[in-house]
Amino acid sequence: MKICTIICEYNPLHNGHIRLLKFARQHADTICCVMSGNFVQRGMPAVMDKYSRARHAILAGADIVIELPTVLALSSAENFATGGVNIARAIGSQFMSFGCESANAQQLFQCATLLEDVKVNNLIKKFINEGNSYPKAVAMSLPQFEDILSRPNNTLALEYTKAILKSNSDIQLLVCDRPDNYDSDKLEGIFSSATAIRNNLDNENIRQSLPYFTKVEDINVEVEKQYKRFAALYLSLQPMTEQTEAVSEGLHNRFNKFRNIGNYDKLIESVKTKRYTQTRLQRIIAAHLLGITKDITAVAKATAPYINVIAINSKREDLLTYIAQRQLDYTQQVADERRKLIDIDLKAQLLYSALTNKLPISQLQKVDV
C-alpha cells in the first residue's frame, strides 16, 4: 500500500484542493487527508462542520479523513505541521503532498536544514527581540530564501519539511505547483482561494470556483460572527492566564487590560502589535475559550497521536482494520494523555454546535463515491 498524506482544512473545499488530490493520486493508491476539525488554524470556527468537510474530501478523491486534534489545529504553523506529520508517520505514509507557489522539494529541505542551525536561530531571536513577528524574523534571517519565506503556503510547506526532518522520517515530498492567485482575495477563474470564496458568497461567479458538491448555501460565514460575540463575552467574564497556549511576555495582561471592550475586532486591534500578528492573537483567544494550555500542547506534541477517523470511502473500509492494527501497542499512560486532547476536541464540538444551533454529528461518515 502506498499512502500519501495531505494536511488540510478545506474551509471550504474548492477546485484547487481537487487539483492537489488528483496530483497526489498519480503517486499513491491511498490518499489520507489529515484535516482540522471544527476550528481552523487562523483561530476561527470553520464555515462548515468537520463531518461535512470530511465528506467533501472523500467526494473530491480522498480515501480516508483523519481529524487533526484541536489542540494542534489551533496552534502555530510549527505545531500544526508537527501534528499532521506525526499522524502521517503513525499510519505509515510514504508520501506527503502539498501546494507551493515557488519552491521545490530540494529548496524546502535546504531551507529547513538551515533553520536548525544555531547561528540562524540566534539571528531569528535577535530580530524577534527587535519587535518583529516570528515569520518576519525568519525571512530576515535567511534572505537567500526570501521568495520562499514571503509566501504563506511556502511557509507552511517549510514547516512540514522541518517536521519530517526532526522526526528522521523517510516520508517523501510531493510538491504541486500552486498558482499565485490562490492567495488573492478576489475570485479569479476556476482556481480561487478559500478566503476569496468566503468573502464573495454573493458573487454570481463563485460557482465556477467550487465543485458540484460544495453548495454555496451551506457555507456558513455567520458562525464566525456568532463566535466573535461569544468570545468577547467569555473574555470579559473569564480573565486570561499566562498558562494559555502561545501567551508569552505578559501578553495575557494586554488581553485582560482590554477584556471589557465588548467587541472582538476592537479587542484584537487594541492588543495587536508589530510582534504579535492578528492570527496569533485569534489563536490565543480560541485557546483561552477551549482551555488549551501550554502543558496540554506539550502533551499533544510529545504523545503518540490518536487516530480519529471521521470519513472514509465506503469502498476502502479495509483502511479501518489497517489503522486499528497499528494502534494496538499503546500503553495506558498514552491512553491517559490522549484523553486530555480528546476532551478539548469534545469542547470544540459542543461550542461549534452551540454557535450553529445544530446537534453535533458524532459518527464516522461512510461515503459512497
Side-chain angles (χ1 to χ4, degrees):
M1 186 186 300
K2 290 185 178 181
I3 303 174
C4 179
T5 291
I6 296 174
I7 304 173
C8 57
E9 295 197 307
Y10 297 158
N11 189 40
L13 190 144
H14 54 64
N15 292 336
H17 297 132
I18 294 179
R19 181 173 181 266
L20 177 58
L21 285 159
K22 288 180 177 179
F23 171 79
R25 181 64 72 180
Q26 297 173 18
H27 303 271
D29 53 47
T30 301
I31 307 298
C32 171
C33 288
V34 177
M35 191 188 78
S36 300
N38 286 325
F39 287 81
V40 295
Q41 208 250 342
R42 64 189 183 93
M44 286 288 146
V47 295
M48 290 184 187
D49 70 85
K50 63 185 181 183
Y51 290 101
S52 296
R53 287 163 34 243
R55 178 175 176 273
H56 287 176
I58 301 299
L59 291 173
D63 295 296
I64 189 169
V65 180
I66 296 171
E67 182 177 6
L68 180 64
T70 305
V71 172
L72 296 173
L74 276 172
S75 194
S76 66
E78 179 181 2
N79 292 343
F80 182 92
T82 297
V85 168
N86 284 346
I87 291 176
R89 293 176 60 221
I91 65 172
S93 294
Q94 293 91 350
F95 305 101
M96 178 168 290
S97 190
F98 44 76
C100 272
E101 292 98 341
S102 61
N104 57 41
Q106 182 180 2
Q107 290 171 321
L108 289 169
F109 274 115
Q110 289 173 344
C111 189
T113 301
L114 282 173
L115 284 171
E116 297 302 306
D117 184 85
V118 174
K119 292 182 180 179
V120 173
N121 275 278
N122 286 337
L123 266 180
I124 292 172
K125 291 176 183 177
K126 172 181 177 291
F127 289 129
I128 288 176
N129 290 335
E130 291 175 358
N132 296 286
S133 66
Y134 175 76
K136 178 66 174 178
V138 171
M140 294 170 68
S141 302
L142 294 173
Q144 67 270 41
F145 290 104
E146 181 181 2
D147 188 49
I148 293 176
L149 294 167
S150 64
R151 298 171 183 263
N153 290 291
N154 285 351
T155 304
L156 193 52
L158 182 60
E159 293 297 341
Y160 299 149
T161 309
K162 284 170 57 183
I164 289 171
L165 284 175
K166 286 182 179 179
S167 65
N168 293 316
S169 171
D170 57 1
I171 291 176
Q172 299 178 49
L173 304 183
L174 301 175
V175 182
C176 180
D177 291 336
R178 184 169 183 165
D180 284 341
N181 68 334
Y182 273 82
D183 292 314
S184 171
D185 287 337
K186 299 178 181 179
L187 295 178
E188 298 185 19
I190 64 171
F191 294 117
S192 297
S193 71
T195 300
I197 291 169
R198 292 193 301 269
N199 291 343
N200 292 277
L201 294 181
D202 294 331
N203 191 310
E204 60 182 14
N205 295 320
I206 193 173
R207 187 65 260 169
Q208 65 181 337
S209 298
L210 299 168
Y212 74 92
F213 49 78
T214 303
K215 298 178 180 179
V216 176
E217 58 268 28
D218 291 338
I219 300 174
N220 181 8
V221 293
E222 292 298 316
V223 66
E224 188 168 305
K225 296 177 183 178
Q226 289 288 92
Y227 167 77
K228 287 182 175 181
R229 295 188 191 101
F230 175 80
L233 175 61
Y234 184 88
L235 190 57
S236 71
L237 297 172
Q238 187 67 41
M240 188 177 292
T241 73
E242 61 182 343
Q243 295 305 314
T244 302
E245 169 58 21
V247 165
S248 62
E249 300 170 323
L251 187 55
H252 63 294
N253 292 324
R254 284 185 61 81
F255 273 108
N256 291 335
K257 178 180 178 181
F258 298 106
R259 69 188 182 92
N260 291 318
I261 205 166
N263 180 284
Y264 182 95
D265 293 324
K266 289 181 179 179
L267 171 66
I268 291 288
E269 193 60 35
S270 299
V271 176
K272 188 172 65 174
T273 67
K274 181 181 177 181
R275 184 165 181 170
Y276 301 113
T277 63
Q278 178 171 330
T279 301
R280 178 177 174 179
L281 299 180
Q282 289 176 176
R283 287 197 298 267
I284 289 174
I285 292 176
H288 176 56
L289 265 61
L290 295 172
I292 302 174
T293 63
K294 296 170 185 174
D295 289 343
I296 290 176
T297 301
V299 166
K301 293 171 64 177
T303 305
Y306 63 92
I307 308 299
N308 181 28
V309 179
I310 54 179
I312 192 166
N313 183 332
S314 59
K315 298 183 180 67
R316 293 303 312 273
E317 291 188 43
D318 59 294
L319 293 172
L320 297 176
T321 301
Y322 168 80
I323 288 175
Q325 290 173 342
R326 298 183 67 90
Q327 297 284 298
L328 293 178
D329 58 346
Y330 289 139
T331 65
Q332 183 60 48
Q333 180 181 355
V334 170
D336 292 341
E337 297 290 5
R338 281 176 172 177
R339 173 51 55 187
K340 299 175 183 177
L341 310 183
I342 293 171
D343 285 345
I344 300 294
D345 288 342
L346 292 174
K347 285 183 181 178
Q349 175 86 336
L350 291 172
L351 175 56
Y352 192 86
S353 297
L355 293 172
T356 57
N357 198 28
K358 292 182 180 179
L359 291 174
I361 301 172
S362 58
Q363 61 185 22
L364 170 67
Q365 302 292 289
K366 296 180 180 179
V367 183
D368 296 327
V369 179

